[in-house]
Amino acid sequence: MVLSLIILFADEECPISKSSRYVSWRNKPAIEGQHGGIRAAGFVLVVEVLENLAYLANASNLVLYLSKFMHFSPSRCSNIVSNFMGTAFLLALLGGFLADAFFTTYCIYLISATIELAGLVLLTLQAYTHSLEPESCLSANRNDKCRHVDGGKEAILYIGLYLVALGVGGIKGSLPPHGAEQFDEETTQGRKQRSSFFNYYVFCLACGALIAVTFAVWIEDNKGWQWGFGISTMAILISIPIFLLGSTFYRIKVPTGSPITTICKVLAAAIFNTFSGNYARTAHVVSTNPSSRTSSMENIEEEVNITEELGFLNRAVMNRSTTCPTFKVNIKQVEEVKIVLKIFPVFMSTIMLNCCLAQLSTFSVQQAATMNTKIGSLRVPPASLPVFPVIFIMILAPMYDHVIIPFARKITKTEMGITHLQRIGFGLFLSVMAMAVAALVEIKRKQVAHRAALMNSTEPLPITFLWVSLQYLFLGSADLFSLAGMMDFFFTEAPFSMRSLATSLSWASLAMGYYLSSVLVAIVNHVTGSFRHAPWLYGSNLNHYHLERFYWLMCVLSGLNFLVYLMWAKSYKYRPKSTSGSNDTRMLCNSTGI
């Protein structure tokens, strides 16, 4: 009764609907039926096709550009590409944080797209201007070393790459949550449409990737990298006005302050109160809103039942009379931090999967480059290998949404049909299979090279590159299940104020996977080289690598990671479907003055 009166009083003081947690691009309250919905999300999906085309047109073939034109060694190329892609995805956390805390997903996309455009222009100029490239080096022997790019030329390369990485990170951190925000989460239809959006977001990723690894890569290999970078530049340039065309239809989440501050404040309060002894020991406590901006709601209290999970954080809640203003938090904030900590093990479990995915942009491309890349009379660029999983994703994504999920809903009689964690788990299992297949294919490739006496030759090996496509197929399928599942899981489970940041964890997992790949290569080379043997992954000749052993190591690590994931997933409890619309609306009134 008291709680009902409080909510009624709050609604009289702030007569706005639950949808007013969102505003239009003109910063006016969003109107239900006019803003948001499938039409608004459609612009986001089209933009994602162009954005991923711009990114993957270079990333998928970058290892060969660095090797053939910048003259870096295979292992150095692998590390550069892994670090570049890892940084791009890790910076998605920055984009998500800024969207949640200070700006909006709408603004962050526009800023990030402009930054990526600047980086692509710089890379295009370097590829077009021969004086900014190293001297050409032609040799028939794989063991001959060429002088790689250095000095100011190398600086231009890295500045261009990491401007692109910064822009890509901001886009990845803002565009998916911006699209997901267009749907009403408080209705069953809205939640189903949001789940479909994430499936079709991955579908659009695949559409952009298909153009990138076919048309754009062919242009790079046959017409020159200046044209390849030019295609990426035009794609991201066109995406900006298309995104702006949807402005009148978007509903945009209002920033509610720094989620990092909330997390740190709750953790600090729990630690402080533990040592001071000033914390509530009962499960039913009184909480107040600690915001300094709250005036009309300052004296309102609401009774909330605090959960027993992660009980240490409950110590952050204390009675008003003994509260230190610096560490003053409420139960809602404590529960939000608990949610973040509970989804963190799932995030950690997906890093190994993305470490496996990193091989598709590095060693797998280099493997294919040593093999016969002709299909009949058509020569296929090695960087176009991802076309196989991309096409499979484009077929499977709509089938998953329109056939598999409806069937699963009928069988399980649940709204989701297949849970997020089940979907992620299946992706992890496929990654284990992919590494085993990759190891077997590499063994076969080296056997062919040895029998043909081509271990030190630049001539293509008499074995088709389609063998390598098998690992692409497995890892591409794993990517479909895991990426869409992760984005939907993190967005759905995260607190309203942290959704952009939480969704960015999907990309941060990719980043950590790429970084882990670089670390594993370095560790493997250090350990194997310390026993008076040549390191497994060192030198300019891939035929002398022990890549198959590295893949077996990845297979074992992925299997162990899968077992750990099963343990976490089994104990995880999903949030209830009901939302705290009234509480969030009151928070918006207090924080924005509406």
Side-chain angles (χ1 to χ4, degrees), residues 31 44 83-84 104 217 251 286 381 388 405 442 474 530-531 535:
I31 301 174
V44 174
N83 292 335
F84 162 70
T104 62
V217 167
R251 67 174 195 169
V286 176
F388 296 101
I405 286 296
E442 175 61 10
F474 274 97
S530 62
F531 293 99

Side-chain angles (χ1 to χ4, degrees), residues 122 157 197 218 305 482 534 587:
L122 189 60
L157 173 67
F197 165 78
W218 185 89
N305 287 323
S482 61
M587 288 179 63

Side-chain angles (χ1 to χ4, degrees), residues 48-64:
E48 183 52 39
V49 174
L50 294 170
E51 186 277 328
N52 208 43
L53 163 61
Y55 172 61
L56 279 185
N58 302 314
S60 62
N61 207 19
L62 184 58
V63 67
L64 295 184

Side-chain angles (χ1 to χ4, degrees), residues 453-533:
L454 295 174
M455 293 293 289
N456 295 317
S457 175
T458 58
E459 293 295 320
L461 301 178
I463 178 175
T464 177
F465 76 112
L466 293 178
W467 283 99
V468 180
S469 67
L470 293 176
Q471 61 213 56
Y472 276 84
L473 189 62
F474 274 97
L475 285 173
S477 303
D479 193 24
L480 169 65
F481 282 97
S482 61
L483 182 57
M486 279 192 291
M487 288 193 294
D488 201 356
F489 173 73
F490 291 138
F491 187 92
T492 302
E493 294 297 297
F496 180 80
S497 62
M498 305 181 188
R499 282 184 166 171
S500 296
L501 180 62
T503 307
S504 300
L505 289 175
S506 306
W507 305 110
S509 175
L510 275 170
M512 300 304 292
Y514 280 104
Y515 285 133
L516 179 59
S517 176
S518 297
V519 171
L520 281 178
V521 169
I523 292 175
V524 165
N525 281 340
H526 176 74
V527 172
T528 57
S530 62
F531 293 99
R532 296 185 179 180
H533 294 289

Side-chain angles (χ1 to χ4, degrees), residues 195 400 404-405 407-409 412 414-424 426 481 488 574:
S195 181
Y400 182 87
I404 298 176
I405 286 296
F407 178 75
R409 284 170 177 159
T412 62
T414 61
E415 181 181 307
M416 298 176 65
I418 299 175
T419 67
H420 303 135
L421 295 179
Q422 288 172 344
R423 187 172 184 177
I424 295 171
F426 189 63
F481 282 97
D488 201 356
Y574 287 94

Side-chain angles (χ1 to χ4, degrees), residues 32 51 53 61 100 113 131 138 154-155 162 165 198 229 296 303 344 360 381 399 401 408 422 424 483 558:
E32 189 173 351
E51 186 277 328
L53 163 61
N61 207 19
D100 279 334
S131 61
L138 301 175
E154 186 177 14
Y162 283 94
F198 283 117
F229 284 125
S296 60
E303 296 184 5
F344 195 72
L360 297 185
M399 183 182 300
D401 195 63
Q422 288 172 344
I424 295 171
L483 182 57
S558 297

